[in-house]
Structure formats: structure tokens, C-alpha cells
Amino acid sequence: MPKRSRPTSSPALAGTALLEALLGGWRALTRLEVDGFAVQRSRGVTRRANSVVPIDPPTDPDSLDAALTRIEGLLAAAGESPTFRLFSADGLDHEPVRAALEQRGHAAGPRVHILLRPLVDLRAAPDPRAAITVGSPPEDWLEASWRLAPRSEDGARETLREIMAGTPAIYLALTDPASESRETVAVGRAALVPHRRRTIAVLDQIAVDPGRRREGLGRAVVRSLLSPAAIQGADLALLEVETGSTAARALYRGEGFTPSGEYRYLTRP
């Protein structure tokens, strides 16, 4: 991937641009535009890739109600119930959609925080234990990622591969040089999402061997992803973290990430 010229400042990311950067970092296998909503489907693997997201929803209550009815009907025909993903951030007002969904019996789940970190003038170098690949997910990285963070959905392994292959990314694996097997003990990914003349790095798939936690491996993964992302031209990094992930939130705060919004999933019980 060709390097892009580095900007001298890191403009903020808000509104639909923020939303599309997050969607681009974890790109659903199919996306259907329905009355201002993005209906995403990926064989049921991960809520992020199987959620309905307002992009430019109708403001008129009757038109909004008709759009929601149409979306529910489309997914019901496929034997599915919609999961809506509603954002609260600068330039995004999904409150009318939330109110309409709650009237239909949908309930909101826990908050997921969106964190942001500028990458301009980043000086940190990758950890010397890090193996870094740019492009499509390498097989050894996929194997290690699955071992550290398996999923239970049918066909999840192949579906995750296809989701990640949808956006060029940086794939990082940390190995233990003291181990005879040199087994991977932590992994991470930074999707490189283009936005106009910018590149946004969206970090995800950060996983650490449960037996090796509290050794600073998660911090090493994050730091080691930011440096090559900046080299690839990214001027901003984004990530998502759930409210209950106290240790992860503290880690990201310590690495310079600050709140930029949040979202919730709404489903019908």
C-alpha cells in the first residue's frame, strides 16, 4: 500500500464521517441501503456486522415509522430479527430513532464507548517482539487470533476472515521469545479506512492469552499498532470499548485515547 503524505494536524472526526469510519473498519459482508438506514448482514457473526445503522434516517415520524416497518419486514422474510446500532456523538442525533424503537418494544443494551487518538507526530516504535503484516489477514495471524478469541457461531472462523479481508489492515502478533515454541501470546488489528484524503486507523481484534494477562501485552499491542498506522498515513486512531471493560478503558486512556461518542444496540426481547 503506498504511503500517503502526513498531515500537519489531525482534524476531528464527527457525524457521518465518524460513523462510516467505524463501519468501514469492520465491513459487513453485505450492506443494503433502506430509507436512510444501512442494513448490514454477515451470516449472524458479530453484532457490529449484523446491525442496522441510521445513516440519514427520515425526520418525519410517519416516514420513520414506515422505514422501521420495512426494515423489520425485510429481515423477518429472512428469518431474522433486527439489531439496531444507535450512536450518540457530535453531529449524530439518533434520539428520534431510539424513541421510535422503544415504542416498538426494543430495549437498549450497555453503552459502548468510541475513543479517539490523534497520530500526528507519533514517536513510539513497535515492540521488538511484534510481527507486523499489512494488507489481508495472514493465515498464522488468523490461527492465533482464533485460538485467543474463538467464537461460537456456525461458520464464524471463515466469516471473520471475510469480514477482515474487506478492508486493508495492519495485523500484529506478539510472540514470547523466551518460549521454545515461540507461540503468539497477543494479537491486534488496525483497519486502514480511507476518508476523503485521510486515512483513519480503526483498532480491533485485540486479544491476549488469558494466562499472560497483567504483563503489559495489551498495551504493547496498542502501541505497536499505532506506529505502523501512522507510517501508512493514518492521522487518527479509533477504537470501541464496552462500559464494563474497566481495565481496557484504563489502558486506552493511558495511551492517549479520549472519548468521542458512544453507541448502544437495541433489540426486541
Side-chain angles (χ1 to χ4, degrees), residues 85-264:
R85 186 183 182 194
L86 304 188
F87 289 75
S88 175
D90 186 21
L92 291 173
D93 180 16
H94 291 170
E95 180 62 21
V97 181
R98 182 200 62 77
L101 287 171
E102 289 186 347
Q103 286 186 344
R104 289 168 169 258
H106 288 71
R111 289 182 173 87
V112 179
H113 300 274
I114 304 165
L115 306 181
L116 175 154
R117 187 199 194 282
L119 299 182
V120 174
D121 297 327
L122 184 69
R123 295 286 184 262
D127 190 286
R129 298 169 292 177
I132 299 172
T133 304
V134 181
S136 297
E139 289 299 322
D140 55 349
W141 186 94
L142 287 165
E143 179 66 30
S145 178
W146 183 259
R147 177 174 54 82
L148 295 173
R151 299 188 64 91
S152 60
E153 299 97 332
D154 291 341
R157 189 167 179 168
E158 185 57 34
T159 300
L160 287 172
R161 178 204 307 268
E162 293 182 42
I163 289 172
M164 287 186 282
T167 305
I170 297 163
Y171 294 89
L172 182 143
L174 284 183
T175 58
D176 182 358
S179 169
E180 292 184 4
S181 64
R182 297 185 64 84
E183 191 171 65
T184 297
V185 293
V187 297
R189 171 181 180 265
L192 301 171
V193 181
H195 172 62
R196 297 179 181 172
R197 296 187 178 182
R198 303 174 66 185
T199 297
I200 311 300
V202 182
L203 276 59
D204 57 31
Q205 292 299 100
I206 297 171
V208 175
D209 187 326
R212 303 294 301 273
R213 289 175 181 164
R214 299 186 180 277
E215 296 182 18
L217 295 173
R219 188 177 304 278
V221 168
V222 172
R223 289 182 177 178
S224 299
L225 284 170
L226 296 180
S227 179
I231 291 171
Q232 291 294 324
D235 71 332
L236 201 64
L238 296 174
L239 55 79
E240 307 164 36
V241 59
E242 294 185 359
T243 297
S245 301
T246 305
R249 292 175 64 193
L251 184 159
Y252 299 138
R253 185 169 57 248
E255 292 306 308
F257 284 87
T258 58
S260 183
E262 64 184 38
Y263 66 84
R264 291 186 176 194

Side-chain angles (χ1 to χ4, degrees), residues 15-43 48-57 71 74-75 80 85 87 92 94 163 166-167 193-194:
T16 303
L18 173 65
L19 192 156
E20 289 288 4
L22 292 170
L23 298 189
W26 194 252
R27 195 176 300 279
L29 300 185
T30 62
R31 172 173 166 170
L32 178 66
E33 305 297 331
V34 180
D35 296 338
F37 289 81
V39 180
Q40 303 177 106
R41 299 179 66 199
S42 299
R43 306 181 193 127
R48 280 183 294 167
N50 290 274
S51 55
V52 180
V53 180
I55 306 295
D56 185 20
I71 291 167
L74 286 170
L75 292 176
E80 302 172 12
R85 186 183 182 194
F87 289 75
L92 291 173
H94 291 170
I163 289 172
T167 305
V193 181

